[in-house]
Amino acid sequence: MMKSGRANFGSKLGVILASAGSAVGLGNIWRFPYETGNYGGAAFILIYLGCVLLLGLPIMLAEFIIGRRSRANTAGAYQVLAPGTHWRWVGRMGVLAGFMILSFYSVVAGWTLEYVFEALGNGFAGKTPEEYIQSFQAFSGNPWKPIIWLVLFLLGTHFIIVRGVEKGIEKSSKIMMPMLFVLILVLVGCSVSLPGAKSGIEFLLKPDFSKVDGNVFLGAMGQAFFSLSLGMGCLCTYASYFSKDTNLTRTAFSVGLIDTFIAILAGFIIFPAAFSVGIQPDAGPSLIFITLPNVFQQAFSGAPWLAYIFSVLFYVLLALAALTSTISMHEVVTAYLHEEFKISRKRAAWFVTGGCIFFGVLCSLSLGVTKGFTVFGMGMFDLFDFVTAKIILPLGGMLISIFVGWYLDKKLVWEEITNDGTLKVRLYKVILFILKYIAPIAIGIVFINELKIL
Ligand code: PHE
């Protein structure tokens, strides 16, 4: 079934790192902590973990099956596996989500670049927690600066996409993922040893179920899909580049584990530090940008050169983690335009980059200059985030699980999961049961409950 001329990932490690590179990004380090803060801490984390295990991993496997079997972009995949049906709309919806996420995500990715330069110029040294808040507000409300960074970030993504799959995506993931991981561990150590860090640790470990409502469930589910890059065909597109002997189940477990571990560790960097310096845990999207500089300055107050090195390194790695995620979103939309509309890859990539710059600029302005303009009470940035993470991704996940659980021929599913019978997958029946019943019903209940559909 392999289409000739279609790229492949070069090695097993490359497969895992590229998928993990897509999954690990601002979703873990920026979005997870602020959602945890918004929804009250430990109870949210427990529900989040449940969502990853029960919905995330099986649906990731389902995406892998669809992608590797069809060897096509996410919309084309449904044409191959379910020709002439409406299933292709699931793929198209994913492409739309990819485009929307890339637009608002690049705004925050751009912020990380500003912080790289701020760190390089030693701009964090000697400031008080209040000053970090003020300088973030001044920066994000500035009409020009965030837009310049956003455009640069999208152009960086663009050039990697144009260079092709293996060279660009695989190489960059291989180097930066392990580095990021080590640095995060160091920062956790620093953060938990700050004075007053204990209340932050409690916030993460002591669940308070009295605050849990349907909202928290929708938030946790949306965050799980967002963080695992699920529900929009991203991992499906990557799986179309997997080789015949990639162990799909094991890859899904590895990616899920790495992603979740990094998110939890990010929590252990942010909250002990936030409580230590008196920053509110529900500060929202600005949370890591106003908390982290404190970690560097306070933890290394005796050795300013260490504070300098660690802050530069951290923001560089954060920007790179964001980059491996933006590449994966860009790839979904580019592969779709290139393969479905038969335009060159380069041209397709320019359409995506141009479109995302346009909407990205609007998202960025909605946090400052055009704050007053709202739709359903939300500015463009919040609206794009809400519609994708809390509606399109879970809905996509639900339809993907129904597609693999009910529509696809079970022989085909078995062949993909076991690599034509060469692998023994003990959880096969459990996975199928989850895809058939648990995932669609659970997502359905959360939707009905929260979005008041009925
Ligand atoms: N999972 C990525 C992150 O955590 C974001 C993402 C979402 C990437 C959807 C691709 C698709 O940063």
Side-chain angles (χ1 to χ4, degrees):
M1 264 234 187
M2 183 115 163
K3 271 190 204 165
S4 60
R6 225 163 172 275
N8 259 314
F9 285 123
S11 67
K12 248 187 225 161
L13 186 67
V15 163
I16 294 180
L17 288 181
S19 312
S22 163
V24 175
L26 297 172
N28 309 58
I29 296 164
W30 161 71
R31 201 174 186 281
F32 177 79
Y34 95 69
E35 287 288 83
T36 303
N38 273 344
Y39 291 118
F44 171 85
I45 296 183
L46 282 179
I47 299 170
Y48 174 78
L49 292 178
C51 290
V52 169
L53 207 67
L54 219 60
L55 306 175
L57 296 183
I59 292 175
M60 190 186 297
L61 184 61
E63 284 208 20
F64 283 168
I65 294 171
I66 297 171
R68 188 174 64 175
R69 186 67 176 207
S70 63
R71 298 235 173 256
N73 69 81
T74 180
Y78 293 92
Q79 314 261 48
V80 175
L81 300 175
T85 64
H86 287 300
W87 282 107
R88 64 179 182 281
W89 285 99
V90 178
R92 288 181 182 164
M93 193 172 78
V95 173
L96 175 70
F99 184 80
M100 288 171 78
I101 297 176
L102 185 55
S103 302
F104 80 84
Y105 195 94
S106 302
V107 175
V108 184
W111 297 349
T112 65
L113 291 184
E114 162 80 7
Y115 273 61
V116 168
F117 278 85
E118 192 69 17
L120 275 173
N122 208 12
F124 298 124
K127 282 191 179 160
T128 63
E130 267 66 50
E131 284 172 318
Y132 293 130
I133 298 178
Q134 279 159 11
S135 56
F136 177 80
Q137 281 167 348
F139 162 68
S140 63
N142 180 306
W144 291 110
K145 260 184 162 180
I147 290 178
I148 294 169
W149 290 127
L150 149 89
V151 172
L152 281 179
F153 204 95
L154 276 167
L155 290 178
T157 308
H158 176 91
F159 287 111
I160 296 185
I161 285 288
V162 177
R163 282 187 62 200
V165 178
E166 191 181 329
K167 268 190 249 141
I169 302 174
E170 200 177 330
K171 249 196 203 151
S172 39
S173 310
K174 255 186 194 162
I175 307 167
M176 49 98 6
M177 288 284 299
M179 256 170 89
L180 179 68
F181 190 68
V182 173
L183 191 68
I184 284 180
L185 283 179
V186 174
L187 291 178
V188 170
C190 297
S191 189
V192 296
S193 51
L194 289 175
K198 217 174 122 237
S199 5
I201 300 175
E202 260 171 31
F203 182 75
L204 289 167
L205 295 180
K206 268 205 185 145
D208 174 6
F209 287 104
S210 64
K211 292 203 194 94
V212 172
D213 55 13
N215 234 327
V216 179
F217 277 93
L218 184 66
M221 184 169 85
Q223 175 59 25
F225 280 99
F226 188 89
S227 187
L228 294 168
S229 308
L230 285 181
M232 51 153 281
C234 184
L235 294 180
C236 166
T237 301
Y238 269 23
S240 74
Y241 308 122
F242 286 3
S243 78
K244 233 171 57 255
D245 50 28
T246 302
N247 184 335
L248 299 186
T249 319
R250 194 177 298 161
T251 306
F253 267 106
S254 311
V255 174
L257 196 72
I258 296 173
D259 188 72
T260 307
F261 199 46
I262 294 196
I264 303 280
L265 289 179
F268 276 90
I269 300 177
I270 304 301
F271 291 106
F275 277 83
S276 167
V277 293
I279 288 171
Q280 290 301 319
D282 58 356
S286 63
L287 183 64
I288 69 158
F289 292 94
I290 57 181
T291 310
L292 270 171
N294 289 296
V295 180
F296 300 118
Q297 298 314 313
Q298 302 218 355
F300 304 105
S301 53
W305 60 276
L306 266 184
Y308 180 81
I309 292 178
F310 276 131
S311 54
V312 172
L313 205 58
F314 181 82
Y315 288 112
V316 168
L317 290 173
L318 185 60
L320 286 173
L323 184 64
T324 49
S325 299
T326 52
I327 290 169
S328 72
M329 297 172 222
H330 202 299
E331 176 63 24
V332 171
V333 193
T334 302
Y336 169 73
L337 294 179
H338 167 55
E339 291 177 9
E340 297 302 303
F341 295 94
K342 310 274 175 278
I343 52 175
S344 74
R345 228 184 115 79
K346 206 164 170 190
R347 203 130 180 241
W350 273 120
F351 275 120
V352 182
T353 307
C356 284
I357 289 179
F358 179 76
F359 284 103
V361 167
L362 294 183
C363 286
S364 180
L365 292 176
S366 77
L367 296 170
V369 188
T370 60
K371 221 176 199 160
F373 293 102
T374 57
V375 184
F376 301 120
M378 286 179 264
M380 186 108 157
F381 182 98
D382 294 331
L383 188 70
F384 272 30
D385 180 302
F386 180 85
V387 169
T388 51
K390 294 191 177 146
I391 299 179
I392 305 186
L393 299 188
L395 183 64
M398 182 183 192
L399 294 170
I400 287 167
S401 63
I402 295 174
F403 183 70
V404 172
W406 293 93
Y407 182 89
L408 276 188
D409 182 3
K410 288 297 131 345
K411 186 165 160 285
L412 181 160
V413 174
W414 181 83
E415 281 169 5
E416 286 301 319
I417 292 187
T418 65
N419 287 355
D420 293 326
T422 55
L423 299 172
K424 223 174 137 44
V425 179
R426 265 180 292 145
L427 288 176
Y428 178 74
K429 285 217 171 97
V430 179
I431 293 168
L432 225 67
F433 183 79
I434 294 179
L435 287 176
K436 261 184 129 142
Y437 302 103
I438 310 243
I441 293 174
I443 298 172
I445 291 176
V446 176
F447 268 152
I448 290 169
N449 209 341
E450 185 45 30
L451 301 175
K452 316 257 179 312
I453 300 172
L454 289 181

